[in-house]
Amino acid sequence: VAKKEGKSRYCFFQENMLIEHQRKIDIANAIEPALERNEFYICYQPKVNGDGHPRGVEALIRWESSVLGMVPPSDFIPIAERSGKISMLTDWVVETVCRDVADYFQHLPEPILVSLNLSAYDLKRYQFSDFIRSVFNKYEVRPDLIEFEVTEHAYLDNLDMASRFFNDISELGCRVALDDFGTGYSSLSYLTRIPIDLIKIDKQFVENIGLTARDDALVLTIIEMAKRLGIELCAEGVETQAQRSFLKIHGCNLMQGYLFARPLPLEALKAHFSDVA
Ligand code: C2E
Ligand code: MG
Ligand code: MG
Ligand code: MG
């Protein structure tokens, strides 16, 4: 019986893997047609200061597929990266965000910073910064309102190409944020080697605030490190008042999380801003 069960379990496992594999292929193949059918859209999540006032927003891509339903970015971004489709998605994000900046964010009484996420692959793209420059020109976007979020993994993938990219976009006047800080496997040396304006503490550290003295010590250490380096700091995934007050008391002045606002489509964000103003 055990043998029989073992075998059927094995088949079940294999079948699941096949289904998983097929889904990845379906997702990869659906990306290009989805772009043509306008199935992607951007949500913006506010970044607030200690008092809860919006200081910026992060653009996060959404996909409501007519074939696959809602597909989260954590599913399709890695697939887009591996299948080479990420560059067309990134280009679409850059263009859409710049249009929204030109139409809305730039005209707020106090214009706010808009950040967007890049993949490791984007940093290695030949002439990607020229594309960014051309989109800025097309929409007459203020480059100083644009921030690019990259992970340490993206940087370490190809130091030469990444350095060139960072130089190009600093010259353009854009900002660079280091995303998901602390989750990589890298050394800290890149903190002095690339022009980082902002570090984002990954939400796994924020989640653990208040659990043990060591968890708290880790967050305090990151806050202290950013202070000493003169780099701004933003905590992601802030969900509770306890997390918020811990971060505020200890001098982390930017926060992002469901406690303040979820990622919202532009129209809903406008409504949210007129509520909190
Ligand atoms: P990320 O850049 O670290 O973005 C933060 C993620 O945390 C977002 O998930 C956001 O919705 C979620 N989040 C924000 N506040 C909270 C909170 O209080 N609690 C919890 N549990 N989660 C919170 P999302 O939108 O699903 O995106 C996941 C990841 O997908 C992003 O992580 C980013 O790496 C990637 N991504 C999203 N949009 C883009 C894009 O346009 N281009 C690229 N290359 N990657 C993107
Ligand atoms: Mg991000
Ligand atoms: Mg992040
Ligand atoms: Mg994260």
Side-chain angles (χ1 to χ4, degrees), residues 45 58-62 73-74 77 86 93 117-119 149 179-180 203 236-239 256-258 263:
Q45 187 181 34
E58 176 177 8
L60 295 157
I61 194 169
R62 295 290 176 263
S74 53
I77 294 287
I86 191 68
V93 171
N117 294 279
L118 297 180
S119 291
E149 297 193 3
D179 208 349
D180 302 341
K203 60 172 170 277
E236 61 177 32
V238 179
E239 291 185 355
Q256 201 179 356
Y258 296 165

Side-chain angles (χ1 to χ4, degrees), residues 8 24 27 43 51 77 93 115 163 199 223 238 264 269:
S8 70
K24 283 178 182 158
I27 288 175
C43 280
D51 299 326
I77 294 287
V93 171
S115 57
S163 298
I199 289 171
I223 294 173
V238 179
L264 300 165
L269 181 84

Side-chain angles (χ1 to χ4, degrees), residues 125-143:
R125 285 167 63 191
Y126 191 60
Q127 292 179 329
F128 179 47
S129 55
D130 291 333
F131 170 74
I132 292 171
R133 187 196 311 267
S134 73
V135 178
F136 286 174
N137 289 338
K138 178 176 170 188
Y139 294 101
E140 298 182 37
V141 162
R142 268 176 55 184

Side-chain angles (χ1 to χ4, degrees), residues 10 16-17 48 60 91 93 96 99-100 111 114 122 137 149 154 174 181 194 198 200-201 209 214 226 234 246 264 266:
Y10 174 73
N16 269 348
M17 277 179 40
V48 305
L60 295 157
D91 288 356
V93 171
T96 307
R99 218 184 45 219
D100 289 346
V114 180
D122 294 315
N137 289 338
E149 297 193 3
C174 302
F181 182 78
I194 50 171
L198 177 99
K200 299 189 77 177
I201 310 180
I209 288 174
R214 283 194 173 192
C234 177
F246 180 93
L264 300 165
L266 185 60

